[in-house]
Amino acid sequence: MLGYLIRRVLYGLLTIFAVSVLSFTIIQLPPGDYVTSYIASLEAQGDEVSAEEAAALRAYFGLGEPAYIQYGKWMWQIMQGNWGMSFQYRVPVTEIIGQRLLLTIVLALGSLIFIWVVAIPIGIYSAVRQYSVLDYIATMFGFTGLAIPDFLFALVLMYLAWDWFNFSIGGLFSPEYLSAPWSLGRVFDLLQHLIIPIVVLGTSGTASLIRITRANLLDELRKPYVVTARAKGMNEWQLIFKYPVRLAFNPIISITAYILPFLVSGSVIVSVVLNLPTVGPVLLRSLLSQDMFLAGAIILMIGVMTVIGTLLSDILLGIVDPRVRLR
Amino acid sequence: MTETRLRDAMPTAIGTPPDAVAPILQVQNLHTHFFTGEGIVHAVDGASFAVHPGKTLGIVGESGCGKSVAAKSILQIVDKPGRIVDGEILYTYTDKSGRYRHENILSLPSDSRQMKSIRGGEISMIFQEPMSSFSPIHSVGNQLTETIRLHTDMDQRTAREAAIEWLSRVGIPNPARRVEEYPYQMSGGQCQRAMIAMALSTNPRILIADEPTTALDVTTQAQILNLLQRLQAEQGMAMIFITHDLGVIAEVADEVAVMYLGRVVERAPVQEIFRNPQHPYTRALLTSIPSIEAQPRQRLPTISGSIPHPQNRPPGCPFHPRCPEYMAGTCEQKEPQLASVGTNHEVSCFLYPGC
Ligand SMILES: Nc1ncnc2c1ncn2[C@@H]1O[C@H](COP(=O)(O)OP(=O)(O)O)[C@@H](O)[C@H]1O
Ligand SMILES: [Mg+2]
């Protein structure tokens, strides 16, 4: 298990390196160096930048030196916690991301839990009772869930919540709690506002995980070891949970690692529509306005989160499957 | 009570040997069909056979003739969309309170407590693919211990010791360590030994072995057959040995049932089957095994035609389209029944009177 873990962590670090190179490339993409664009954006807002200031900035980021030195300097700064300035907001990037990243993570994990809790039991039932009425209903729900675009679903739910419950689901808090101090009521209000985004964000993931769970479990149910377990005199549901469900879990765990980044990028649109302060809308705006430090930082963060997610799912896989662990 | 006694005392209709030992298990007119989207597959279609205490019944027939489905029907573990639609499976045993019972176990609901205790406890089964018949992610010891605990009231510790004991009985070296291992760490032969240990660990009265040596190499095959025969003698259990290999049948069986398209077409003691086969299908099967006296490079005779799919079973005698003795106007018109042609010897063919 230890050797396996070390290998996985090394792969993870390698991936993070690749992601950081990618983020750096993105920062470098706009024509001219980014100090030029920084100065241009400052001047556009009426600020004067002196030649000395520009030179200091250039030296700071090693502009004019080879790309790998620039990359090294940038990484070095990042590891010190200096993520650069946002051209657009005129504040350090960390200040913008910090508050939003937490919500993004909460939203992604919330959706993930929602997906697991809803999809796995339905998927198991659908496989064990293949072609039953409920299986058909689950299948129909699955395809509908996949087909409806998130933004449309969000708009519809928003409208319904307003029309039926007189509940405004945009943003994170109702107006009366917006700047109130933390209290039980405020937490409750936050949770209420999170339900719709989680449902919207989780629906297509739920739909595909139902299909995946069902297909994998159907495969496993046909395997000889299931017949053996039956021939032993085991209780049917007991044996289903002990054997085929456990085996069908491997692909589910691997797939979860891929759902995570999908949730983060999916949250862009949902957040824009529902007016949620996640990193999604900021990423969108930063890309539109070539706010490259901000964009690079967000992409790097999403990449790192994905790698951590993959690492966690690999560890989980090692725990549930001896063949993965012992080889 | 009186009624049971009466019925128990009555001689059984078919297959009772002259020494009048009643069969421990008697399958009568079993029909198991698969209700698929494309139609009904008559996988088992009127099969009848009997197993006697301590003896081995060999079931032989080409692949697809319903041997496995018949075996699973006995335990009521037929895969979906299969269903046992007709027949009786009479099982004679003494229950936990020492009462002598003789009942049609098909009348027990599949998920009843009684059926679950018969399944794996009274009647165990081993399979063709030893490796994939174990869960790959649970240790062999885990799966063995679980079986033992299902059918005894041993605690985890004692059951584990019993599992180790059984692994050593089936000839797995270093059982205390191997019990921790996973199936992929064992060879096919060792897996089959472990499977045998698991099946026998509950002291069943009947072992159903469904092609247990087909997936193994010849040397391992012989070892497993020896092991099974030794353990059968030690445990005094009956065995249903399923194979498509007549050579194996000659080695292990006391009695033989020859199956074709879901039916038993001939039943007889093993010597009788080999010396005096009566059904054209049995004869054809026998001439298709290579003989030591055969000339080198001589072509083996094969049975003409191929087995029809049980979904479109030929009318009348199912073998008639391939039969060298086909009698037009009879064989495709009526279905022959098993009838006695000698001591303990039954055939279902219109060549013989009474069928
Ligand atoms: N799950 C199933 N669904 C449909 N048909 C089946 C199923 N299992 C077995 N059959 C059919 O039943 C027939 C007998 O199968 P089987 O008992 O496995 O043959 P064998 O004698 O080789 O063991 C075959 O023709 C097979 O197609
Ligand atoms: Mg078979």
Side-chain angles (χ1 to χ4, degrees), chain A residues 153-322:
Chain A
F153 193 30
L155 285 174
V156 169
L157 284 184
M158 227 156 110
Y159 172 76
L160 292 181
W162 179 252
D163 198 47
W164 294 353
F165 303 110
N166 211 11
F167 179 68
S168 159
I169 52 172
L172 274 188
F173 297 103
S174 312
E176 63 268 31
Y177 283 111
L178 203 52
S179 47
W182 280 105
S183 65
L184 219 61
R186 195 169 191 246
V187 171
F188 188 67
D189 187 57
L190 174 69
L191 288 180
Q192 263 188 326
H193 279 83
L194 276 178
I195 291 175
I196 301 270
I198 283 176
V199 170
V200 170
L201 206 51
T203 298
S204 57
T206 305
S208 54
L209 196 63
I210 289 177
R211 303 308 297 166
I212 291 163
T213 307
R214 181 180 183 272
N216 279 307
L217 188 53
L218 279 176
D219 270 358
E220 293 299 330
L221 284 169
R222 280 191 273 268
K223 300 254 171 91
Y225 66 81
V226 178
V227 181
T228 311
R230 281 196 190 115
K232 281 178 180 186
M234 276 180 95
N235 193 341
E236 184 73 10
W237 276 107
Q238 205 179 330
L239 79 85
I240 285 174
F241 278 105
K242 177 166 181 189
Y243 296 112
V245 167
R246 268 290 300 277
L247 273 124
F249 247 78
N250 289 12
I252 295 174
I253 291 171
S254 322
I255 265 145
T256 301
Y258 297 99
I259 291 183
L260 212 55
F262 177 72
L263 287 177
V264 173
S265 58
S267 72
V268 176
I269 294 165
V270 175
S271 299
V272 170
V273 174
L274 292 177
N275 186 24
L276 299 176
T278 65
V279 293
V282 178
L283 175 62
L284 194 65
R285 235 171 297 146
S286 65
L287 285 172
L288 288 175
S289 61
Q290 296 200 349
D291 191 349
M292 295 335 269
F293 276 112
L294 191 52
I298 293 176
I299 289 171
L300 184 62
M301 282 318 292
I302 293 178
V304 169
M305 271 169 56
T306 309
V307 170
I308 292 174
T310 316
L311 192 63
L312 286 180
S313 89
D314 281 343
I315 293 173
L316 212 57
L317 211 56
I319 292 173
V320 300
D321 193 339

Side-chain angles (χ1 to χ4, degrees), chain A residues 127-130 220-221 223-236 238 242-243 246-247 250 320-327, chain B residues 72 75 77-80 116 119-121 123-125 127 129 132-138 142-144 146-147 150-151 182 184-185 195 198:
Chain A
V128 175
R129 297 265 181 274
Q130 193 189 10
E220 293 299 330
L221 284 169
K223 300 254 171 91
Y225 66 81
V226 178
V227 181
T228 311
R230 281 196 190 115
K232 281 178 180 186
M234 276 180 95
N235 193 341
E236 184 73 10
Q238 205 179 330
K242 177 166 181 189
Y243 296 112
R246 268 290 300 277
L247 273 124
N250 289 12
V320 300
D321 193 339
R323 292 168 302 177
V324 172
R325 179 180 354 127
L326 298 174
R327 263 181 198 158
Chain B
K72 287 181 186 168
L75 295 177
I77 53 167
V78 180
D79 302 312
K80 277 187 272 185
K116 275 189 273 197
R119 204 184 283 140
I123 307 177
S124 290
M125 188 159 173
F127 304 90
E129 298 286 342
S132 49
S133 293
F134 277 112
S135 154
I137 61 167
H138 295 83
N142 174 329
Q143 300 178 61
L144 240 89
E146 172 188 64
T147 313
L150 271 173
H151 296 283
Y182 292 90
Y184 75 87
Q185 293 168 300
M195 185 56 69
M198 186 157 86

Side-chain angles (χ1 to χ4, degrees), chain B residues 32 34-36 41-44 61-72 78-82 128 210-211 242 259 261 308-311:
Chain B
T32 304
F34 288 90
F35 298 86
T36 69
V41 180
H42 298 239
V44 177
E62 287 163 289
S63 149
C65 69
K67 306 181 294 293
S68 298
V69 173
K72 287 181 186 168
V78 180
D79 302 312
K80 277 187 272 185
Q128 181 170 348
D210 187 359
E211 312 228 14
I242 296 173
M259 271 186 86
L261 269 187
H309 191 267
Q311 199 173 313

Side-chain angles (χ1 to χ4, degrees), chain B residues 136-208:
Chain B
I137 61 167
H138 295 83
S139 70
V140 167
N142 174 329
Q143 300 178 61
L144 240 89
T145 313
E146 172 188 64
T147 313
I148 296 172
R149 293 199 64 192
L150 271 173
H151 296 283
T152 62
D153 40 19
M154 284 187 207
D155 61 21
Q156 181 65 25
R157 189 94 151 294
T158 328
R160 208 182 136 77
E161 277 157 22
I164 294 173
E165 165 76 24
W166 265 105
L167 285 182
S168 105
R169 276 191 75 181
V170 296
I172 289 185
N174 213 339
R177 211 197 60 212
R178 309 289 315 255
V179 77
E180 309 278 359
E181 287 191 355
Y182 292 90
Y184 75 87
Q185 293 168 300
M186 296 185 158
S187 68
Q190 282 172 330
C191 267
Q192 195 57 290
R193 285 173 193 267
M195 185 56 69
I196 292 169
M198 186 157 86
L200 298 192
S201 64
T202 58
N203 296 316
R205 300 185 51 234
I206 303 175
L207 175 69
I208 304 177

Side-chain angles (χ1 to χ4, degrees), chain A residues 71-134:
Chain A
Y71 168 77
K73 287 199 167 174
W74 179 67
M75 272 314 277
W76 180 245
Q77 293 296 333
I78 283 195
M79 280 190 258
Q80 316 254 302
N82 179 4
W83 292 60
M85 292 286 280
S86 157
F87 304 153
Q88 204 190 346
Y89 297 87
R90 314 279 304 274
V91 288
V93 164
T94 39
E95 219 166 277
I96 302 172
I97 298 185
Q99 44 193 344
R100 289 162 178 268
L101 198 60
L102 185 69
L103 180 67
T104 310
I105 292 174
V106 166
L107 197 58
L109 287 184
S111 307
L112 199 62
I113 292 170
F114 171 80
I115 291 174
W116 272 53
V117 167
V118 175
I120 292 176
I122 295 181
I124 291 174
Y125 183 89
S126 271
V128 175
R129 297 265 181 274
Q130 193 189 10
Y131 304 137
S132 65
V133 177
L134 283 177

